[in-house]
Amino acid sequence: MRLILIGPPGVGKGTQAALLQERLGLLPISSGDIFRAEIREQTPLGVMAKSYIDQGLLVPDDVTIGMMQGRLSRNDVREKGFILDGFPRTVAQAEALDGVLAHLGLGLSGVVAIEVDDEIVVSRLGGRRICPNGGEIYHILTNPPRVEGHCDVCGTPLMTRPDDNESTIRERLKVYHNSTRPVIDFYQAHDQLVRVDGSQEPEQVYEQIVTELPG
Ligand code: AP5
Ligand code: MG
């Protein structure tokens, strides 16, 4: 299965991608996680991306498309199915992705738009903690780690993402409404879209995704 997850910051894209990986063996590919890995390694791409990410702005299309083209051309993408989390985020990225997949001879199984009110997003992201090592996602109230402040998988101290402060979250939401919602219309027009209610519990969101996808 080859899927795209689209939705506002904090709606649960990463959480659902992890469930789809664990239960269906799909390969999660998160553009945000790739940027954060580049930032950790202080590569030129990472240094450049950080200046946008810290402000809640999108990294320019040409850079993002080039990076994702490289990632999608690797063999594991062809061997397993995948879940794209956070890409495409502009109509130009969606059009570029169509070209990349056509070139690779791969089709999409579906596009899932997860939707939720902005205020829910702000409270979810305020309590999010992530593992800087494996990327595991927690929430201090709704999904706490077994040992406070440490990853269940590797024990690494958890961190708060630098872009999870309220003013940056509000900027990310604005960018989502202006630049990414048109991507939902793009896939709706191509009859590839499934809409899911992201305000439910993670298990219910997962059930809705797997039930409503074609095939
Ligand atoms: P990215 O890393 O993609 O961030 P985002 O889209 O803002 O989304 P998040 O990762 O914040 O949220 P999520 O939907 O994954 O939610 P999660 O599962 O963690 O991008 C970061 C930045 O990189 C962008 O701002 C941009 O600058 C740049 N970038 C990335 N891709 C780009 C692109 N294509 N083009 C240009 N720039 C790009 O869940 C959030 C919290 O809620 C967690 O604590 C979780 O435990 C909890 N939770 C999850 N689901 C539920 C639920 N159902 N109920 C209750 N709590 C829940
Ligand atoms: Mg995420």
Side-chain angles (χ1 to χ4, degrees):
M1 205 184 284
R2 288 182 286 270
L3 302 178
I4 297 176
L5 295 184
I6 304 181
V11 75
K13 300 181 297 293
T15 299
Q16 294 303 320
L19 291 174
L20 289 158
Q21 176 183 29
E22 182 188 304
R23 298 177 186 178
L24 301 182
L26 306 179
L27 181 70
I29 303 177
S30 155
S31 44
D33 283 350
I34 300 175
F35 283 132
R36 281 183 288 278
E38 298 279 341
I39 291 171
R40 271 199 306 280
E41 288 161 27
Q42 298 183 2
T43 64
L45 171 61
V47 171
M48 193 274 275
K50 184 172 164 49
S51 65
Y52 292 91
I53 293 174
D54 284 354
Q55 296 183 70
L57 302 175
L58 295 182
V59 179
D61 277 342
D62 55 341
V63 175
T64 304
I65 290 167
M67 177 182 85
M68 294 304 286
Q69 199 165 10
R71 179 64 190 90
L72 287 166
S73 303
R74 281 164 42 182
N75 285 339
D76 53 354
V77 169
R78 188 176 293 281
E79 287 156 10
K80 305 177 189 176
F82 61 74
I83 315 137
L84 283 175
D85 158 4
F87 179 86
R89 248 171 155 101
T90 63
V91 171
Q93 291 180 16
E95 287 167 349
L97 176 64
D98 270 358
V100 172
L101 293 178
H103 179 73
L104 294 170
L106 301 174
L108 281 175
S109 317
V111 179
V112 179
I114 316 180
E115 299 177 308
V116 81
D117 288 346
D118 286 3
E119 291 314 311
I120 294 184
V121 158
V122 177
S123 92
R124 282 189 189 172
L125 291 180
R128 174 166 62 183
R129 301 290 181 272
I130 61 163
C131 174
N133 185 29
E136 285 78 11
I137 302 164
Y138 301 91
H139 190 281
I140 51 173
L141 299 178
T142 58
N143 182 28
R146 284 193 294 274
V147 176
E148 194 183 332
H150 291 81
C151 178
D152 289 350
V153 177
C154 63
T156 302
L158 301 178
M159 59 169 280
T160 303
R161 264 173 48 179
D163 56 345
D164 277 352
N165 60 77
E166 185 162 349
S167 66
T168 311
I169 294 168
R170 299 234 176 248
E171 186 61 37
R172 287 156 64 197
L173 278 166
K174 210 188 303 169
V175 168
Y176 169 76
H177 289 297
N178 289 336
S179 302
T180 307
R181 288 194 67 88
V183 179
I184 296 180
D185 301 333
F186 174 90
Y187 287 114
Q188 173 100 57
H190 289 70
D191 278 336
Q192 287 175 299
L193 192 77
V194 169
R195 289 177 193 268
V196 169
D197 173 9
S199 70
Q200 311 168 90
E201 293 293 314
E203 280 298 335
Q204 292 171 296
V205 177
Y206 178 81
E207 277 307 314
Q208 208 187 335
I209 292 174
V210 292
T211 308
E212 296 202 12
L213 280 172

